Amino acid sequence: MFLKNCWYVGAWDHEIMDGKLLERKILDQPVVFYRGGTGQVVALDNRCCHRGAKLSQGRIEGDCVRCMYHGLKYDPSGKCVQIPGQDRIPPQLGVKSYPVVEKQHLLWIWMGDPALADPAEILDVPYLEDSNWKGIPAYLHYDSNYLLIVDNLSDFNHLAFVHTNTLGGSEEYAYVSKPNPIERLPDGFRVVRWHTDGDPPPFLRKVIPNKTEKVDRRNIARMLVPGVFLMETLFAPAGQGAREGKVVEGSREFRNCQFMTPETERTTHFFWNYLNDFEGADYTISMSLLDSLIEGFMEDKHIIEAQQKMLDDDPSFKLVAVAADVALSHFRYTLDKMIDAEQAAQVERPAPLTQASRQPAPAVAAE
């Protein structure tokens, strides 16, 4: 169902500020995130091994977390380090700890074999920490499988119809702008799309001084496993040579960063930030872009969640591909191959029994 041996976005860093315990289900597993007293970010199974109470209803103590049902205390590795009223703590007593890395304001979590978790493999998104790029991080929850959102983002034609009055601008976009052949990557795809001599879309008109001047629009998009969408967008005054590589005065650039993380087979965490490099000291433009993106994403959400219900109602329904689906088809083919290879490796080499994966004893006598 899911690719497990890879890094997923689990949260924005601001979600665990001020001693907050963040409850979040990822790949059908209950997880609690928190920041310890030393600044260490921790991700643990959100079930106390004693009676299954939520650790997210507990209390942070230094770098540890205490279950506030019966007081068991766990360190960042998941090991139980204190049981009130009981001196001896069986060494197998604990909860699962997940590798988690804080990078560029994101918390990346590894849900698979911890021995394979390499922080060097975490995607680099430099715009998220570059002071020249400003944006506001945001989150939405979808009642749909995450791959339906990936499909949506892989298909630029939907901009013309779903987002005619928001992000797209007109239905013309679907008819006159054609994508270049996609670049097939080992972990996804890259595609470039131009739309020349068009009207500025509504979201752009809100943040530029000349709201009627025709523009040349270029999108360079990458979709990467497990569900990361990055897009560089350029709007330049029409006919001034932007398509030929000239730097055109009055151009505007944006960086779109989106991360889809499965919550369950039918629900998704959706994180994003839409950044610009021409904003002044305040966040007026960022707020406008945030409002526009929320409006556009709610349009997507309305269609995708209804699509999920239709597919659930008739599992035998077969989807039919069209020419515009080449990108999303390649992504799904690539992801399926990686999942198949991962599952085959697990059959050949069972995961070692670790402290975090051991089940606690059913009962322990107090001493």
Side-chain angles (χ1 to χ4, degrees):
M1 186 188 304
F2 304 121
L3 184 67
K4 294 184 177 180
N5 288 323
C6 64
W7 292 99
Y8 287 91
V9 171
W12 288 106
D13 59 359
H14 69 261
E15 294 185 273
I16 58 167
M17 293 174 65
D18 302 323
K20 182 178 179 180
L21 287 155
L22 176 65
E23 171 187 357
R24 187 153 281 163
K25 182 173 284 189
I26 299 177
L27 274 58
D28 247 341
Q29 299 301 308
V31 177
V32 59
F33 293 93
Y34 68 93
R35 188 185 302 278
T38 62
Q40 179 180 1
V41 177
V42 182
L44 301 177
D45 188 309
N46 195 24
R47 297 166 293 193
C48 177
C49 68
H50 175 219
R51 307 304 294 172
K54 286 185 176 182
L55 293 181
S56 56
Q57 294 179 322
R59 181 174 69 203
I60 299 171
E61 297 183 4
D63 283 339
C64 300
V65 62
R66 186 182 298 278
C67 176
M68 294 304 288
Y69 191 14
H70 299 99
L72 277 70
K73 182 178 178 181
Y74 301 92
D75 71 10
S77 74
K79 179 181 173 60
C80 182
V81 294
Q82 188 178 64
I83 303 175
Q86 180 174 320
D87 294 332
R88 179 182 175 273
I89 303 175
Q92 77 273 19
L93 212 63
V95 299
K96 185 172 184 176
S97 175
Y98 295 97
V100 60
V101 174
E102 183 176 10
K103 181 178 179 180
Q104 296 164 337
H105 302 297
L106 291 167
L107 303 185
W108 294 88
I109 186 170
W110 184 276
M111 301 298 293
D113 182 351
L116 301 178
D118 181 1
E121 295 180 357
I122 295 175
L123 184 68
D124 187 44
V125 190
Y127 318 115
L128 290 174
E129 61 179 356
D130 187 338
S131 60
N132 293 319
W133 292 90
K134 295 180 68 174
I136 300 173
Y139 170 88
L140 273 177
H141 182 271
Y142 274 74
D143 288 325
S144 74
N145 183 282
Y146 81 109
L147 288 176
L148 294 183
I149 308 172
V150 170
D151 289 349
N152 169 271
L153 292 168
S154 301
D155 170 23
F156 280 63
N157 275 1
H158 88 278
L159 282 171
F161 300 100
V162 180
H163 308 304
T164 306
N165 299 312
T166 52
L167 307 180
S170 73
E171 291 188 11
E172 176 200 30
Y173 185 80
Y175 293 97
V176 302
S177 70
K178 298 184 183 300
N180 293 344
I182 69 165
E183 179 184 352
R184 289 171 168 81
L185 305 174
D187 58 349
F189 66 84
R190 178 180 181 272
V191 65
V192 180
R193 186 160 186 163
W194 279 92
H195 179 212
T196 57
D197 197 32
D199 293 324
F203 85 94
L204 180 65
R205 290 200 297 269
K206 295 176 182 178
V207 297
I208 58 174
N210 191 336
K211 304 181 185 304
T212 59
E213 185 179 66
K214 297 284 187 178
V215 294
D216 293 338
R217 179 181 191 173
R218 183 210 64 201
N219 287 319
I220 304 175
R222 286 187 294 156
M223 181 68 77
L224 306 173
V225 171
V228 176
F229 180 74
L230 303 174
M231 185 166 69
E232 301 178 8
T233 297
L234 168 72
F235 289 98
Q240 302 299 307
R243 187 160 188 173
E244 288 72 40
K246 293 182 181 179
V247 177
V248 180
E249 185 178 354
S251 297
R252 294 288 186 266
E253 292 204 47
F254 303 90
R255 297 293 182 265
N256 193 344
C257 309
Q258 300 178 33
F259 310 89
M260 285 69 69
T261 298
E263 179 184 50
T264 68
E265 187 180 4
R266 290 294 182 269
T267 56
T268 302
H269 303 294
F270 180 66
F271 307 89
W272 88 87
N273 200 338
Y274 197 77
L275 305 111
N276 74 91
D277 68 346
F278 57 91
E279 189 162 28
D282 61 18
Y283 275 80
T284 303
I285 292 175
S286 289
M287 285 299 300
S288 176
L289 293 173
L290 176 64
D291 290 343
S292 293
L293 266 291
I294 290 176
E295 184 180 12
F297 290 154
M298 292 306 291
E299 292 171 332
D300 285 327
K301 193 171 186 286
H302 175 72
I303 285 185
I304 294 171
E305 291 183 340
Q307 176 192 14
Q308 180 68 71
K309 291 179 181 178
M310 295 298 290
L311 295 175
D312 287 342
D313 287 345
D314 184 5
S316 67
F317 179 77
K318 301 297 182 184
L319 304 177
V320 178
V322 298
D325 295 337
V326 61
L328 66 90
S329 297
H330 172 72
F331 181 89
R332 288 206 177 207
Y333 172 74
T334 301
L335 178 62
D336 286 345
K337 282 201 310 180
M338 296 172 76
I339 292 175
D340 289 345
E342 178 178 283
Q343 293 179 347
Q346 290 173 349
V347 171
E348 295 173 2
R349 178 179 53 83
L353 187 64
T354 63
Q355 173 66 39
S357 65
R358 291 190 181 98
Q359 294 298 315
V364 178
E367 293 186 354

